Amino acid sequence: MFYAIAVRTTRSAELKPSKDQRRTVNKWNDFVLGDDYKKGAAKLYPVSKEEKARLKNGFDLLQEIHRADLDNVKQPPEPAHRFEVTLEPATFTAEKFELFRDYQSHVHKEKSSEISQGGFKRFLCTSPLQRTSREVNGKSQELGSFHQCYRLDGRLIAMGVLDLLPHCVSGVYMLYHSDYEAWQFGKLSALREAALAIEGGYQYYYMGYYIHSCTKMRYKGDYKPQHVLDPESYEWNPLDGELKSLLEKKSYVSLSRERARKDSAASEDVEGDTNMASSDEDLAGYPLPTASEAGKAVQNGTSLFELKIPGVMTLEEMESTLDLGSTPIRVGGRLALAQHLVSWDDGDVRDPHSIKGIIGELVACLGPEAASQIVVELG
């Protein structure tokens, strides 16, 4: 089961890097600056006893994540390396593609014939988000799809692919050159992206999907405090002891369902551990509980509204909260409402091949809040 996962970054104090994460940042900073620079800078720019004590006993994420950035390095002396991180539009360049080629071949073991410029563009450059900015608390906040580029001595060595949305920094993908694999850029980039969320006034840092049973995704739970989206109630719950314990036992977990079961059991004075109910029992109300079964059914023409997918609005929920016909559409550069289409009234929202069914499924997947802000472009 996929779960959405997010670090709340409203205040920097809420994100608490672990000892291992702090060590990773410090090792990279020491490498970039070099011993000669650190010794020379200590003489030229001495720090007070109070500052030394603060640095020894605490970890200021924003200060440490930028400590070796070229713009923040006091000179002279010269650092061992020139390290720069820039936020750039998510556009194609040969430099970015070569980094992508190296990463895909070394980390994902793809063959050269499987790596193409077109694939890179579609995967990590093409985006429906428009780049813009807005003012938030007196600061400019970027919105849209971007590449966060890490350059060492002028060479592109890593790149984070980000969607900057009104309330979050969403990490889409991270790639780094195989020459720098030992520096753990996965950890470095996650902390820098969280720092970007704090500095830009974004409420959350989204780390993508989380699968508890997948060891490659477990690292996402190491960033505290971490929250997981309940697939039924859409509430954000801490990824702590209660939720982790349930994820160890079940392939599907809805904490709101678990709590409702407890409340029901208590009201009926039922004895026993209700947490031990099986995943089969939890999924009993879903016609096709596994992703593979549901995927095949959709490919064969089954409507999403027939499947009761966790996180997707039911037809009843959608009809009670939204006027589907009032969904804005763009056709040939002109704006209109879905209900103005000639085929709209004759369409069936349960027919995934009809325009009403296509827009209905899109809206059901987005949810009422996001759906009220979209324009559907018809090609």
Side-chain angles (χ1 to χ4, degrees):
M1 175 68 186
F2 287 86
Y3 294 89
I5 190 166
V7 177
R8 184 186 291 272
T9 55
T10 307
R11 297 183 297 275
S12 59
E14 291 188 65
L15 180 62
K16 296 177 171 57
S18 66
K19 183 177 180 180
D20 180 59
Q21 292 161 4
R22 298 195 300 268
R23 186 187 301 114
T24 299
V25 174
N26 291 332
K27 286 179 64 177
W28 175 253
N29 288 341
D30 290 345
F31 164 72
V32 172
L33 297 174
D35 289 337
D36 291 342
Y37 173 85
K38 290 169 63 180
K39 292 175 183 177
K43 295 178 181 178
L44 290 173
Y45 316 108
V47 297
S48 65
K49 291 182 179 179
E50 292 78 9
E51 180 66 7
K52 286 182 179 179
R54 188 185 71 82
L55 293 173
K56 182 178 180 180
N57 299 319
F59 184 85
D60 186 325
L61 173 64
L62 300 187
Q63 179 175 313
E64 293 304 312
I65 204 70
H66 295 299
R67 181 158 61 90
D69 290 7
L70 187 62
D71 289 345
N72 291 334
V73 176
K74 294 180 180 180
Q75 298 184 56
E78 284 281 328
H81 302 280
R82 299 170 64 86
F83 179 56
E84 299 171 279
V85 180
T86 56
L87 195 64
E88 305 175 7
T91 53
F92 173 88
T93 68
E95 178 188 40
K96 294 175 183 177
F97 175 67
E98 288 307 313
L99 176 65
F100 174 75
R101 184 201 299 276
D102 177 85
Y103 181 79
Q104 295 300 113
S105 62
H106 283 87
V107 176
H108 293 291
K109 310 302 179 184
E110 291 187 5
K111 300 176 182 177
S112 296
S113 59
E114 299 173 328
I115 305 171
S116 67
Q117 290 189 6
F120 171 62
K121 290 177 182 178
R122 288 191 299 274
F123 182 30
L124 298 177
C125 298
T126 303
S127 170
L129 300 180
Q130 293 185 352
R131 287 191 300 275
T132 183
S133 63
R134 65 174 187 171
E135 290 293 319
V136 178
N137 298 325
K139 296 191 300 183
S140 179
Q141 186 184 76
E142 297 293 329
L143 300 174
S145 296
F146 293 86
H147 291 158
Q148 191 171 48
C149 298
Y150 300 67
R151 291 185 174 87
L152 189 73
D153 300 325
R155 177 190 179 191
L156 183 66
I157 62 170
M159 185 175 79
V161 182
L162 307 175
D163 285 338
L164 304 185
L165 305 173
H167 302 293
C168 76
V169 171
S170 178
V172 178
Y173 204 65
M174 178 64 197
L175 49 156
Y176 51 82
H177 198 280
S178 56
D179 290 351
Y180 296 89
E181 185 173 2
W183 295 103
Q184 298 184 294
F185 264 91
K187 293 178 183 177
L188 288 171
S189 64
L191 291 172
R192 186 170 286 268
E193 289 163 14
L196 174 63
I198 295 167
E199 294 163 329
Y202 304 92
Q203 189 176 6
Y204 294 100
Y205 167 42
Y206 287 176
M207 300 186 73
Y209 288 110
Y210 178 73
I211 304 176
H212 189 73
S213 59
C214 178
T215 55
K216 290 185 178 181
M217 287 196 177
R218 287 286 185 98
Y219 77 93
K220 296 181 181 182
D222 295 336
Y223 296 84
K224 312 287 186 182
Q226 189 70 265
H227 294 75
V228 172
L229 187 67
D230 189 301
E232 297 185 15
S233 67
Y234 310 126
E235 297 172 304
W236 289 98
N237 295 304
L239 183 57
D240 57 15
E242 180 185 13
L243 184 54
K244 276 191 172 181
S245 176
L246 289 167
L247 289 170
E248 291 289 345
K249 302 169 186 174
K250 301 182 177 186
S251 58
Y252 172 81
V253 174
S254 165
L255 207 53
S256 61
R257 178 182 289 222
E258 295 290 337
R259 290 168 177 169
R261 179 187 290 120
K262 282 185 177 180
D263 293 341
S264 176
S267 64
E268 296 175 8
D269 196 27
V270 175
E271 297 182 356
D273 184 359
T274 56
N275 279 340
M276 294 303 294
S278 69
S279 293
D280 289 341
E281 179 183 338
D282 282 327
L283 296 172
Y286 298 97
L288 299 173
T290 69
S292 59
E293 290 176 300
K296 290 177 181 177
V298 169
Q299 289 178 349
N300 291 329
T302 300
S303 168
L304 294 183
F305 296 116
E306 304 296 332
L307 299 180
K308 193 182 175 184
I309 298 173
V312 176
M313 298 174 71
T314 66
L315 185 57
E316 293 73 22
E317 289 171 338
M318 188 176 67
E319 291 178 339
S320 65
T321 57
L322 295 167
D323 178 7
L324 194 61
S326 296
T327 302
I329 61 172
R330 181 184 285 115
V331 184
R334 298 179 61 184
L335 285 174
L337 299 180
Q339 62 194 15
H340 294 156
L341 293 168
V342 174
S343 61
W344 185 258
D345 290 336
D346 295 331
D348 183 352
V349 73
R350 292 184 179 83
D351 178 4
H353 301 296
S354 70
I355 190 64
K356 184 179 285 187
I358 293 170
I359 293 178
E361 290 187 354
L362 172 64
V363 166
C365 291
L366 290 174
E369 184 176 348
S372 65
Q373 303 178 50
I374 66 167
V375 176
V376 179
E377 185 164 1
L378 304 178

